[in-house]
Amino acid sequence: MLNPTEIKSIVNSGEGFNAEFKVNLPTNLKSITEEVCAFANASGGVLLIGVDDKNIIKGVTIDNSKRSAIQNSIGEISPPLQCEFYIVEVDGKNVAVIEVPSGQNKPYVLSGAIYVRQGPNSQKLTTVEEMRNFFQQTDRIFFDEVSCLEANIENDISKESIKTFRFEAELANATSDEQLFTNLKLVSNDGYLKNGTVLFFGKEPEVFFEKAVIRCLVFDGLDKRYIVDDKVMTGTLYQQYQKSMIWLKSKLNVRYDIEGEGANPRNEYWEIPTIAFKEAIINSLAHRDYYDKGARTTIEVFDDRVEISNPGGLVSAVPRNEFGKRSASRNPLIFGLFERMRLVEQIGSGIARIRDVMREEGLTPPEFNIDGMFTVTFRRPFDFEKWVEKWVEKLTDNRVKILKEVHNNPKVTKKDLEKVVGISASAIDNNIDFLKDLGLLTREGSDKGGNWKINYLLP
């Protein structure tokens, strides 16, 4: 049973993977039970009623009939789930507390549906793929929730990393580190640090997880024959992100505009917007398959592109046609910690944000490969109009139009090219074959799911 001090500590920490707040008791009690079911199917959590979304305790009144109705609603979860439900007075206001354990008999079902906690939100599983993924995960357990038996909090956790997390998450220092770890469910029921805890706060996480690092490479040219720089970024996941961003800045074109005079900061303009790299790197750290011990997250810089890859393709809970619109995390604890640091927002929104920022900057749309390894490719910018002018005298107008369309949309179909260029399907094929023979155009992947690739380095 939580005491008032512990409740205030949880409130100060805010909502997240293991905490949900409701300012009032909703008319539809099922919404409360859905949250309880979701916590039980993940790693457990605490639901506080009488706390608003700004982390302010408002208080709530729950009479015996309402208490009975809540207990009856929770009783609809199958198999039966034992939760603690009680009222605690905090600074003169009553807060209703529902403590939910991580269920030992997953899956827990409510009205024929499975609910699961994903990051700071609860999600209803509605498709066969989502349910299949859930059963796979519950069979082997989320990697970041597994106990790291070799690590201990005294010797292997970095006080500086905790301090950085507190600052970025805007969490009060009044709460002890031990209480913070308890609030965020960073320690298992048997007292061990979780894998996700070590990855996020460890002094040297790579000692325990050798491949949980980012390898950064620069290649001379368009392929992987000649490596000119090779660095491995170690440390906590947040440190790996910071180091990788600094490294990328040193390898890409960055221009500066100085505003005003004196001590005013200068603005940096990367050839590819920093927000795109931030989203891609954080996505790779939060969603990679850490069970895959044979591969590492990689950032590869080529003359014409930057590729960021991580083990684990699209999570099976997300249908291919929903990619970029919704998401499910392989590592909900890690995702929740990044969310608290405001490095990720609503789950599933990162892909859309990458696409939007590239479009806003007038750059080639990012390319995603979601099979096996998850890879996002950013095409490095250059003056396409100036480049294509070199070919105007060597190519027909139709072939130049084809190159322009492919440049604007590497996934453009032949049927679309027919409409834009205004020639027949056979003529499109002939012109594409000519561009391929010239070495200007290649096709990667299948006719249906692949994309075109222009060799911008010619001539």
Side-chain angles (χ1 to χ4, degrees), residues 113-357:
I114 298 174
Y115 296 85
V116 180
R117 195 72 174 173
Q118 294 281 0
N121 306 305
S122 294
Q123 176 184 348
K124 179 181 179 181
L125 306 186
T126 58
T127 69
V128 173
E129 283 298 315
E130 288 175 336
M131 293 183 184
R132 180 181 296 120
N133 182 72
F134 172 77
F135 284 113
Q136 290 174 346
Q137 295 290 357
T138 52
D139 179 56
R140 66 180 184 176
I141 310 177
F142 291 115
F143 177 89
D144 56 349
E145 288 287 338
V146 174
S147 296
C148 184
L149 303 181
E150 300 85 2
N152 65 77
I153 195 167
E154 291 80 15
N155 299 326
D156 300 308
I157 293 299
S158 166
K159 292 286 187 181
E160 190 62 33
S161 292
I162 298 175
K163 182 179 178 181
T164 299
F165 175 79
R166 285 183 183 276
F167 176 79
E168 297 294 339
E170 297 183 356
L171 296 179
N173 290 324
T175 305
S176 68
D177 291 347
E178 291 74 15
Q179 186 62 52
L180 178 70
F181 273 38
T182 299
N183 293 348
L184 299 181
K185 305 288 186 181
L186 300 179
V187 180
S188 65
N189 292 335
D190 50 8
Y192 290 102
L193 295 172
K194 296 179 179 180
N195 286 342
T197 309
V198 177
L199 285 169
F200 225 90
F201 299 102
K203 292 179 180 178
E204 295 180 290
E206 62 276 7
V207 171
F208 304 96
F209 313 108
E210 181 184 359
K211 297 296 183 179
V213 296
I214 300 178
R215 185 182 181 189
C216 299
L217 304 107
V218 177
F219 298 96
D220 183 12
L222 304 181
D223 55 35
K224 299 184 179 183
R225 285 181 294 177
Y226 305 110
I227 298 176
V228 296
D229 191 30
D230 188 350
K231 296 278 193 310
V232 175
M233 305 307 175
T234 59
T236 67
L237 298 185
Y238 182 59
Q239 289 169 345
Q240 291 180 41
Y241 156 70
Q242 290 181 306
K243 292 176 182 178
S244 297
M245 290 294 286
I246 293 171
W247 180 86
L248 272 170
K249 180 181 175 181
S250 71
K251 305 304 175 185
L252 300 176
N253 296 320
V254 181
R255 62 183 176 85
Y256 303 92
D257 282 350
I258 301 177
E259 288 189 352
E261 299 177 354
N264 288 335
R266 59 182 183 177
N267 294 323
E268 296 180 349
Y269 297 93
W270 292 33
E271 61 177 274
I272 296 172
T274 56
I275 187 66
F277 287 127
K278 171 203 160 188
E279 293 289 347
I281 295 172
I282 295 296
N283 182 81
S284 70
L285 294 171
H287 298 306
R288 70 158 282 179
D289 183 357
Y290 287 97
Y291 277 108
D292 185 342
K293 298 181 180 180
R296 292 176 283 197
T297 296
T298 59
I299 301 175
E300 299 172 317
V301 178
F302 300 84
D303 288 354
D304 67 334
R305 68 194 186 279
V306 178
E307 295 182 358
I308 299 176
S309 303
N310 61 270
L314 184 65
V315 177
S316 60
V318 181
R320 297 180 74 89
N321 62 353
E322 292 289 321
F323 172 67
K325 302 175 185 177
R326 57 187 296 191
S327 180
S329 178
R330 285 189 176 88
N331 308 288
L333 175 61
I334 290 173
F335 181 90
L337 293 171
F338 274 129
E339 189 269 341
R340 286 181 177 276
M341 297 176 78
R342 291 179 297 283
L343 287 170
V344 294
E345 296 180 18
Q346 182 180 358
I347 191 166
S349 62
I351 300 301
R353 206 152 37 245
I354 290 173
R355 286 170 168 158
D356 288 344
V357 73

